[in-house]
Amino acid sequence: MEIRNYINGHFIDSLSKKNIEVKNPANQNVVGFIDEALDEEIDLAFAAAKNAFEKRVLQDMDAAHKSKIMRLIADKLREYKNSSSIILSQENGKTIKQCEGEFDGAANVFDYYAGLTDKIENKLIPSGKDSFNYTILEPYGVSLQIVPWNYPIALFARSVAVSLVVGNTIVIKPPELCPISSNIFGKIFSEVQMPNGILNIVHGYGDKTGKKLVDHKSVNQIVFTGSPEVASEILKKTADRIIPCHLELGGKSAAIIYPDANIDQAVESTVKGIFKPNAGQICVAMSRAIVHHKVKDEYITKLNQKTKELNIGPGNDEKSDVTPLISKEQLQRVTNYCHSGVQSGANLITGGKQQEIHNGNFFKPTIFDNVDINSTIAREEIFGPVISIFNFENEEEAIKIVNSTDYGLASGVFTSDDQKAKWTADRIEAGVIWHNDWFVDGVNLPGGGYKKSGYGRDGGIDSLYSYGQTKRVSKRLN
């Protein structure tokens, strides 16, 4: 796999003469190195993207031709899935099966948006017999996109595919903790003969390269997925320039489990929602369960049993259920949160500590019960395999608990009563509500945050309008 930066249609030799070491989180072995982009590479990337935008390469491209190229990208992602998934697993830690699913998902995203290239219809607005008015969706220009480390391929594809449809050119920074696999996009874009300058991939540390990218004068839009703290810094840095930002941030997603729920289904969804997906390192993880007191004992007993059956291990072991955390820093962060939970008086049912395996960043699946809604583990995003359980007496109390954090990315409700599910969904402050399962998703479905979980929507047709702006054209008729 290429380790260089991809700028203006080519992988270029390093100008900074610096690189970044990439480690396998399962054992600390060195996976490889990636070239670090600094001032010269950054300027070249923005110059290429700006030139391609000013020449209207994407805007004037025939819709059918653009669709064909995007479908070729999807085909190539599937073609390179097996070899690239091994690299992604090594640098990110997820199971190879999960990584393969991520590449399949990325391919599906390009296929879906390829079908929309000729379906953005201008609107004619009637306003009397002597005027002619219509609106069109136009791109912002050069879109700076900063991708997180938990699902780098999927989130790379998500923002790039939409940008291609709308017409933004792209400068994108993959995560420094697992950057190598993202370079497959540069290889693919060259192979499908995407015009130069439309996609530019630059690598580097967030606190160095990331800041330089955000400060660059050629930025017209910023797409950021990550923590609210970093998003706040980006907003402050871009405030004077009034740069539009599209933000998907943290989450503290909760499931409300009513007494008429299928408890076995709720338990399976919990395991799938917090422990198995990348060791809980996902912004929509089920990190809270709000359970009616009549069924809480049954739920906890069954969840504890399922949790103890989970296999902790590296991503290259097909038997692994819970894979390593991304770094030693993240491992310590999760450890500290669990210590905080115990100190706050929560009941630690299982887990709560690191698992020693080959010097890897493994953490035991953890269940806390009787958690104070004002405690740190109840309110802050842990980003690990840790769930906090609360009990409730009535529907209003459940809603109060689920809405008690600063986040609002996703949530869920488990009940056999559709009317109760609708009543609950109407009152939860979150961008996505799941009913009787977790991760009920598709590329044609929009998602995004409320409150500190960000704004803008990704997925489906809605996302087109988060990556573009409306222009009105009006003419006075003679």
Side-chain angles (χ1 to χ4, degrees):
M1 186 75 75
E2 266 287 355
I3 63 168
R4 296 177 292 176
N5 294 289
Y6 182 79
I7 297 174
N8 202 25
H10 307 280
F11 287 104
I12 69 168
D13 291 336
S14 174
L15 299 175
S16 71
K17 306 301 181 184
K18 295 183 178 181
N19 58 36
I20 297 170
E21 184 181 72
V22 181
K23 292 183 178 181
N24 186 329
N27 51 32
Q28 310 310 311
N29 291 343
V30 176
V31 178
F33 297 83
I34 199 81
D35 284 355
E36 182 180 8
L38 294 175
D39 296 298
E40 291 182 273
E41 289 96 339
I42 290 170
D43 285 341
L44 286 174
F46 276 110
K50 184 176 181 180
N51 180 60
F53 181 75
E54 290 179 346
K55 288 183 176 179
R56 298 179 58 88
V57 175
L58 281 174
Q59 287 174 275
D60 293 342
M61 185 181 290
D62 177 75
H65 181 61
K66 184 187 291 187
S67 177
K68 181 180 179 181
I69 292 178
M70 293 179 69
R71 292 194 189 281
L72 287 174
I73 294 170
D75 291 342
K76 289 287 185 179
L77 282 166
R78 295 185 182 102
E79 177 184 339
Y80 293 127
K81 175 183 69 175
N82 292 339
S83 58
S84 297
S85 293
I86 293 172
I87 296 172
L88 177 59
S89 177
Q90 289 173 347
E91 63 178 356
N92 175 271
K94 291 194 295 286
T95 65
I96 293 175
K97 183 178 180 180
Q98 285 181 334
C99 293
E100 290 173 347
E102 190 169 345
F103 274 91
D104 282 332
N108 293 342
V109 166
F110 277 97
D111 266 340
Y112 173 78
Y113 285 105
L116 294 182
T117 58
D118 59 354
K119 296 177 181 64
I120 302 177
E121 298 177 347
N122 299 336
K123 294 181 181 179
L124 180 65
I125 304 174
S127 57
K129 64 180 181 180
D130 61 347
S131 67
F132 181 79
N133 308 277
Y134 65 94
T135 62
I136 57 177
L137 178 65
E138 291 208 329
Y140 284 111
V142 178
S143 176
L144 168 60
Q145 302 176 0
I146 300 175
V147 180
W149 47 259
N150 56 341
Y151 288 89
I153 300 302
L155 300 182
F156 191 117
R158 184 178 72 180
S159 56
V160 168
V162 179
S163 294
L164 295 179
V165 177
V166 177
N168 295 308
T169 56
I170 304 144
V171 174
I172 188 165
K173 190 189 90 65
E176 64 267 26
L177 290 171
C178 50
I180 300 172
S181 53
S182 295
N183 266 0
I184 193 64
F185 286 98
K187 175 180 173 66
I188 289 173
F189 270 56
S190 291
E191 289 180 350
V192 302
Q193 298 182 353
M194 180 68 78
N196 295 345
I198 289 174
L199 176 70
N200 302 274
I201 306 171
V202 293
H203 297 282
Y205 295 104
D207 60 358
K208 187 187 298 184
T209 300
K211 287 182 177 180
K212 291 177 182 291
L213 290 167
V214 169
D215 288 337
H216 203 278
K217 62 182 180 180
S218 295
V219 174
N220 299 121
Q221 182 211 22
I222 294 178
V223 179
F224 173 77
T225 303
S227 72
E229 293 76 19
V230 175
S232 179
E233 290 300 314
I234 290 173
L235 290 171
K236 291 172 185 176
K237 279 179 165 289
T238 57
D240 289 343
R241 292 176 286 155
I242 321 295
I243 302 296
C245 294
H246 174 96
L247 307 172
E248 182 180 292
L249 309 177
K252 194 67 177 175
S253 302
I256 296 176
I257 302 173
Y258 285 112
D260 63 343
N262 181 326
I263 300 303
D264 290 331
Q265 177 62 51
V267 168
E268 289 292 340
S269 295
T270 304
V271 172
K272 178 175 70 173
I274 185 63
F275 298 139
K276 286 188 176 181
N278 200 15
Q281 298 171 115
I282 179 171
C283 51
V284 292
M286 190 201 291
S287 55
R288 295 183 294 157
I290 303 164
V291 189
H292 194 274
H293 69 94
K294 289 184 178 180
V295 294
K296 194 177 83 163
D297 287 346
E298 179 187 359
Y299 171 79
I300 289 177
T301 298
K302 290 182 175 180
L303 178 61
N304 189 27
Q305 180 60 42
K306 286 285 186 182
T307 301
K308 290 179 178 179
E309 295 171 359
L310 296 173
N311 293 315
I312 304 172
N316 62 357
D317 184 347
E318 62 182 19
K319 295 180 181 179
S320 296
D321 298 309
V322 182
T323 47
L325 301 179
I326 189 66
S327 66
K328 290 296 182 186
E329 291 75 16
Q330 185 64 17
L331 182 64
Q332 189 59 53
R333 170 189 167 94
V334 175
T335 302
N336 292 344
Y337 270 116
C338 288
H339 289 163
S340 170
V342 172
Q343 291 169 1
S344 71
N347 178 25
L348 177 61
I349 295 176
T350 189
K353 59 184 179 181
Q354 301 175 18
Q355 176 75 45
E356 296 293 334
I357 303 176
H358 304 307
N359 199 30
N361 309 327
F362 296 97
F363 199 88
K364 293 186 175 183
T366 300
I367 303 172
F368 280 105
D369 185 23
N370 297 325
V371 178
D372 184 340
I373 65 169
N374 295 312
S375 65
T376 300
I377 64 168
R379 302 186 63 83
E380 296 185 10
E381 184 177 41
I382 297 174
F383 229 57
V386 181
I387 187 169
S388 297
I389 299 175
F390 311 79
N391 66 279
F392 71 94
E393 299 289 332
N394 55 61
E395 290 89 343
E396 288 77 12
E397 184 183 9
I399 295 298
K400 180 181 178 181
I401 296 172
V402 77
N403 291 335
S404 64
T405 75
D406 293 331
Y407 296 104
L409 193 55
S411 193
V413 54
F414 290 80
T415 176
S416 59
D417 186 336
D418 286 346
Q419 288 289 348
K420 185 183 291 184
K422 182 181 183 304
W423 182 93
T424 303
D426 288 345
R427 288 160 177 77
I428 294 176
E429 298 168 352
V432 175
I433 313 294
W434 290 304
H435 182 196
N436 286 346
D437 202 354
W438 210 258
F439 302 134
V440 184
D441 291 314
V443 295
N444 59 329
L445 303 175
Y450 281 30
K451 301 187 286 188
K452 282 190 176 180
S453 289
Y455 45 78
R457 291 295 178 265
D458 287 292
I461 295 173
D462 291 47
S463 65
L464 299 175
Y465 299 92
S466 290
Y467 286 76
Q469 51 196 341
T470 300
K471 174 184 281 186
R472 189 194 84 201
V473 180
S474 297
K475 178 180 181 180
R476 182 72 64 188
L477 301 176
N478 294 328

